Amino acid sequence: MRENHALLEFLEERVETEDILKHEPMSKHTSFRIGGEADLFVRVPSQKALSEILKYCNQVGQEYFILGKGTNLLVGDKGYRGMILQLSQQMADIRVEGNTLFAQTGAPLPLVAKVAAENGLSGLEFASGIPGSLGGAIVMNAGAYDGEMKQVIRYVKVLDQMGEEMNLDNDTMEFGYRTSIIKDRPFVAVEAEMRLTPAPKDEIFAKMEELNQRRRDKQPLEYPSAGSTFKRPEGHFAGKLIMDAGLRGLRVGDAQVSEKHCGFIINIGNATAEDVTELMEEIQSRVKKQLGVRLEPEVIRIGEF
Ligand SMILES: Cc1cc2nc3c(=O)[nH]c(=O)nc-3n(C[C@H](O)[C@H](O)[C@H](O)COP(=O)(O)OP(=O)(O)OC[C@H]3O[C@@H](n4cnc5c(N)ncnc54)[C@H](O)[C@@H]3O)c2cc1C
């Protein structure tokens, strides 16, 4: 993207200068620690600013991508030609009223789960170790240990392409396995209402600790990754298929099938998006050939590879 003065002027009227970053390395914003430069990276301070920016982008045909915390993303080595929009820390309020928790989607999911626990509300224990934003978790219907966002969400407030606000109820969200209506439509989630169940705080915290210990025991959390690389194929576990195909520890450059959990590709040094892509293709082809199962990526790819 050539320097777009009209866009920059528009942004500067709504966003602090330090929150408009040019040529920003996306490796700084992804849990894989991979990704070339985004032409523009903007931390959006408010729903009003977001609404105006979305409307502007759609009127002038400006490319943009909504980033959560980049924990399910593979950004190409040549970066992203357009504007990355991330909800800033000012769009991360969390409040509790009775059994209902309201949160803005820029909030980190583990923090949302912690606030629920502190208020003696059960239902988000499964979420306390999922390292994304609430927004990303809603879009992906993130889940673990028999829990998923679908079980707790009552409403999601979204903005459409023209910046108009809408409230989508649980049914309208079309939650499925690692998907929701927002994965296919240009909506931005800005706030959510969650219905939780009262329970003793110590029990909630104990459950969270137990699940997080299971994560630490089984997952290679000491390395950069994007979590599970592939979705769980019906009737199988991706990690087990990869292990059974003899691919534990397989490497392309600095991208490696984790020896601790074969469902994770980890970055053991300076892996590139190309390394990860090549490794993913090799895994898919060998698992298909040896075990007859097609693995579908869970990780979302954006940008130029
Ligand atoms: C160590 C590790 C463990 C993990 N464990 C799990 C797990 O147990 N279960 C699980 O489900 N996932 C897991 N993940 C994957 C990841 O954390 C989840 O998918 C998470 O919900 C992604 O959130 P994010 O904010 O990082 O989204 P991003 O990766 O930034 O974005 C994901 C998608 O959501 C969209 N998006 C983000 N925010 C918004 C918004 N406000 N409005 C509209 N679209 C938006 C993006 O455009 C993109 O399409 C794990 C990842 C890691 C690194």
Side-chain angles (χ1 to χ4, degrees):
M1 186 172 87
R2 283 203 313 275
E3 188 126 321
N4 180 336
H5 294 290
L7 172 64
L8 284 173
E9 222 167 85
F10 182 88
L11 290 170
E12 277 159 9
E13 283 164 16
R14 290 158 180 87
V15 179
E16 298 287 341
T17 320
E18 72 249 29
D19 288 328
I20 305 173
L21 310 170
K22 295 177 195 159
H23 308 296
E24 178 69 0
M26 288 303 292
S27 53
K28 283 166 72 176
H29 301 279
T30 58
S31 56
F32 246 143
R33 301 280 166 261
I34 293 173
E37 290 180 358
D39 291 338
L40 265 183
F41 185 103
V42 177
R43 283 189 280 259
V44 184
S46 66
Q47 184 180 322
K48 181 169 181 291
L50 179 62
S51 165
E52 290 170 358
I53 293 170
L54 292 174
K55 187 170 175 188
Y56 178 89
C57 287
N58 286 292
Q59 281 171 341
V60 303
Q62 170 64 46
E63 278 283 324
Y64 62 89
F65 178 82
I66 307 294
L67 177 74
K69 298 220 173 284
T71 65
N72 202 36
L73 280 193
L74 181 63
V75 182
D77 298 317
K78 296 191 184 123
Y80 180 74
R81 300 290 73 78
M83 173 164 61
I84 302 281
L85 296 173
Q86 185 179 49
L87 308 195
S88 78
Q89 285 173 9
Q90 295 158 68
M91 294 189 73
D93 281 352
I94 307 171
R95 76 191 153 86
V96 172
E97 281 177 26
N99 299 345
T100 304
L101 187 147
F102 298 88
Q104 288 182 299
T105 53
L109 188 63
L111 181 62
V112 177
K114 183 165 175 257
V115 170
E118 282 165 354
N119 283 274
L121 292 175
S122 169
L124 280 169
E125 292 85 336
F126 77 89
S128 77
I130 302 179
S133 65
L134 173 61
I138 291 170
V139 175
M140 300 298 300
N141 186 24
Y145 307 114
D146 297 327
E148 56 179 359
M149 295 308 291
K150 178 186 179 171
Q151 296 163 354
V152 293
I153 293 286
R154 287 196 73 207
Y155 283 95
V156 180
K157 189 198 281 181
V158 301
L159 300 184
D160 70 10
Q161 271 178 303
M162 295 312 284
E164 296 294 332
E165 189 181 303
M166 275 185 288
N167 279 314
L168 307 184
D169 66 14
N170 187 295
D171 281 345
T172 316
M173 282 297 297
E174 294 176 10
F175 287 118
Y177 174 62
R178 301 297 169 265
T179 189
S180 71
I181 194 170
I182 306 183
K183 254 191 127 179
D184 305 317
R185 303 263 184 102
F187 292 151
V188 183
V190 288
E191 206 179 311
E193 179 181 329
M194 282 160 267
R195 174 59 65 83
L196 302 167
T197 317
K201 280 184 213 180
D202 53 347
E203 283 177 21
I204 301 172
F205 278 116
K207 184 75 194 167
M208 284 179 171
E209 181 43 35
E210 180 207 321
L211 297 181
N212 286 333
Q213 188 57 48
R214 275 163 74 178
R215 263 180 206 278
R216 289 191 290 271
D217 290 345
K218 295 222 165 101
Q219 299 182 357
L221 302 180
E222 58 281 23
Y223 288 101
S225 80
S228 298
T229 317
F230 298 100
K231 292 185 183 171
R232 196 175 56 228
E234 189 99 28
H236 299 276
F237 289 101
K240 175 141 190 343
L241 291 170
I242 296 167
M243 190 174 73
D244 291 348
L247 307 180
R248 183 196 289 269
L250 184 71
R251 255 179 89 169
V252 173
D254 273 349
Q256 183 178 40
V257 174
S258 163
E259 303 205 349
K260 194 167 174 186
H261 188 316
C262 293
F264 282 53
I265 288 180
I266 53 175
N267 176 358
I268 58 171
N270 293 306
T272 60
E274 204 180 325
D275 294 339
V276 174
T277 305
E278 214 179 292
L279 184 56
M280 284 174 71
E281 286 168 359
E282 184 65 21
I283 293 168
Q284 283 174 307
S285 133
R286 284 166 68 172
V287 166
K288 176 81 182 129
K289 201 146 126 222
Q290 293 179 41
L291 304 166
V293 182
R294 164 97 195 137
L295 289 176
E296 199 191 317
E298 177 172 323
V299 170
I300 295 169
R301 290 158 57 92
I302 66 160
E304 296 181 359
F305 282 75

